[in-house]
Amino acid sequence: MTSGNIHDSVAFDKLYEKVTERFPQIETLTMDAGYKTPWICKRIFDDRRVPSLPYKRPMRRKDFMNGLNMYMTNIWTLLSVRNIKA
């Protein structure tokens, strides 16, 4: 448990180590959007696990990526996750 002024991603490392030490058989980790950061995802993937995170609205310019590109990016991400688990 952490205080309310500490961001989820700051408290992640200690919590992740405690959970994976106690439950080493975990394959998928489900978290809220506060944990959706590149470092956290990389750490989970490096341990050959899969993060289950909610959709987070893209924080970018409106003209950055159109719908087709976003769709293809999501497909590529899913395929990459499958290859890591294989």
Side-chain angles (χ1 to χ4, degrees), residues 33-83:
Y35 293 95
K36 194 171 189 175
T37 65
W39 160 248
I40 290 174
C41 290
K42 180 184 182 329
R43 175 119 191 246
I44 294 169
F45 283 133
D46 286 349
D47 286 346
R48 306 201 50 83
R49 293 184 169 99
V50 178
S52 173
L53 300 161
Y55 173 78
K56 185 176 176 186
R57 186 183 65 195
M59 299 168 66
R60 57 175 165 69
R61 294 187 327 259
K62 288 190 178 205
D63 62 341
F64 181 71
M65 204 182 259
N66 66 21
L68 179 61
N69 285 341
M70 183 63 79
Y71 173 77
M72 294 307 293
T73 301
N74 290 338
I75 295 296
W76 179 254
T77 302
L78 289 173
L79 293 175
S80 297
V81 169
R82 284 193 184 146
N83 287 338

Side-chain angles (χ1 to χ4, degrees), residues 10-54:
V10 174
F12 172 77
D13 286 323
K14 256 195 220 179
L15 178 63
Y16 180 74
E17 294 201 13
K18 281 183 183 178
V19 170
T20 55
E21 189 176 300
R22 185 164 180 193
F23 305 102
Q25 71 278 13
I26 289 177
E27 293 180 3
T28 304
L29 287 95
T30 303
M31 300 166 280
D32 69 8
Y35 293 95
K36 194 171 189 175
T37 65
W39 160 248
I40 290 174
C41 290
K42 180 184 182 329
R43 175 119 191 246
I44 294 169
F45 283 133
D46 286 349
D47 286 346
R48 306 201 50 83
R49 293 184 169 99
V50 178
S52 173
L53 300 161

